[in-house]
Amino acid sequence: SYVLTQSPSVSVAPGKTARITCGGHNIGDKSVHWYQQKRGQAPVLVIYFDSDRPSGIPERFSGSNSGNTATLTISRVEAGDEADYYCQVWDSDTDHREVFGGGTKLTVL
Amino acid sequence: QVQLQESGPGLVKPSQTLSLTCTVSGASVSSGGFYWSWIRQFPGKGLEWIGNIYSSGITYYHLSFKSRVSISIDTSKNQFSLKLTSVTAADTAVYYCARVTTTSDSDYFDSWGQGTLLTVSS
């Protein structure tokens, strides 16, 4: 089955840029989607198809995907961005189909 | 705007069958281009996909659940449901229902319910 690897935690000061990575074998050949989950809430889609933003998601959120790493970048980080972030791909080759990364906890210092 | 709401017993005894229903508003479960999905999250842990269903009844399940899981859809009630048999304490989790946008290239979860905590305990 396809495996997505995320670092458990990332810390960043307010106003700085946070980069959250998602590793997978040739992940650049797949489309990567990102979800934000704040404490006690359901996940929310923040990036789809590597770099597209749903309506209502600030332009500060952006994404890229190449080689073996996809990256979610949050510019000008705010306290309200503190959350768990999950990457996800569709693995058409196996019954696992929808695969999530283990999640990264973003802490705003 | 699509809204999803999970409903279920909250507490199930070991070896029994877990049954959850997701009621959809603001969209039709009969609409093309979407799957309807169940995902769970263990306390303090990551997300685990359980399975998807299309309006036609076509289903896809995570391999580790295949022998225990069943997802069904009721277009007349605009609902879809999850059944998980022979539950154990390891099935204690928050269960989410979600809408999946599906294309030829990929699937992604564009809308989620608020989640419902299901505890397995005698």
Side-chain angles (χ1 to χ4, degrees):
Chain A
S1 63
Y2 194 78
V3 176
L4 295 174
T5 301
Q6 296 185 244
S7 298
S9 63
V10 168
S11 298
V12 64
K16 300 299 186 182
T17 297
R19 293 179 179 84
I20 298 169
T21 60
C22 177
H25 180 67
N26 291 333
I27 196 173
D29 294 337
K30 298 182 180 294
S31 294
V32 179
H33 319 292
W34 291 92
Y35 303 87
Q36 175 193 68
Q37 185 179 32
K38 296 182 179 180
R39 182 184 294 272
Q41 298 183 20
V44 172
L45 179 70
V46 294
I47 292 288
Y48 64 104
F49 284 120
D50 297 340
S51 59
D52 290 340
R53 275 178 292 104
S55 61
I57 300 302
E59 292 183 8
R60 300 184 297 105
F61 288 80
S62 61
S64 62
N65 183 20
S66 180
N68 293 315
T69 304
T71 303
L72 172 69
T73 301
I74 309 172
S75 304
R76 302 181 300 282
V77 166
E78 303 173 357
D81 298 330
E82 187 162 289
D84 294 322
Y85 291 85
Y86 295 91
C87 57
Q88 175 250 323
V89 300
W90 174 58
D91 182 19
S92 59
D93 295 332
T94 74
D95 282 348
H96 291 268
R97 194 172 180 92
E98 319 291 2
V99 181
F100 288 99
T104 297
K105 169 68 177 176
L106 175 67
T107 299
V108 181
L109 300 171
Chain B
Q1 183 175 350
V2 60
Q3 292 186 316
L4 302 98
Q5 178 68 59
E6 305 88 351
S7 58
L11 178 66
V12 177
K13 289 182 167 51
S15 80
Q16 291 189 338
T17 295
L18 172 167
S19 295
L20 296 174
T21 296
C22 183
T23 301
V24 179
S25 57
S28 170
V29 297
S30 300
S31 299
F34 301 105
Y35 284 109
W36 303 91
S37 186
W38 289 97
I39 307 101
R40 71 180 183 181
Q41 185 170 36
F42 303 112
K45 301 291 185 182
L47 301 165
E48 182 176 55
W49 173 69
I50 299 172
N52 292 349
I53 189 166
Y54 198 61
S55 57
S56 62
I58 292 174
T59 52
Y60 297 93
Y61 300 128
H62 191 290
L63 191 61
S64 64
F65 292 99
K66 238 179 179 177
S67 63
R68 297 198 294 138
V69 69
S70 174
I71 298 177
S72 59
I73 195 163
D74 187 336
T75 56
S76 67
K77 294 182 179 179
N78 219 35
Q79 295 175 334
F80 60 105
S81 299
L82 169 71
K83 289 190 188 303
L84 189 64
T85 63
S86 306
V87 298
T88 70
D91 293 309
T92 294
V94 174
Y95 286 75
Y96 293 100
C97 60
R99 187 178 75 172
V100 180
T101 293
T102 181
T103 72
S104 59
D105 181 59
S106 190
D107 295 346
Y108 59 90
F109 300 83
D110 64 60
S111 303
W112 297 67
Q114 66 184 26
T116 186
L117 175 62
L118 188 113
T119 302
V120 179
S121 174
S122 56

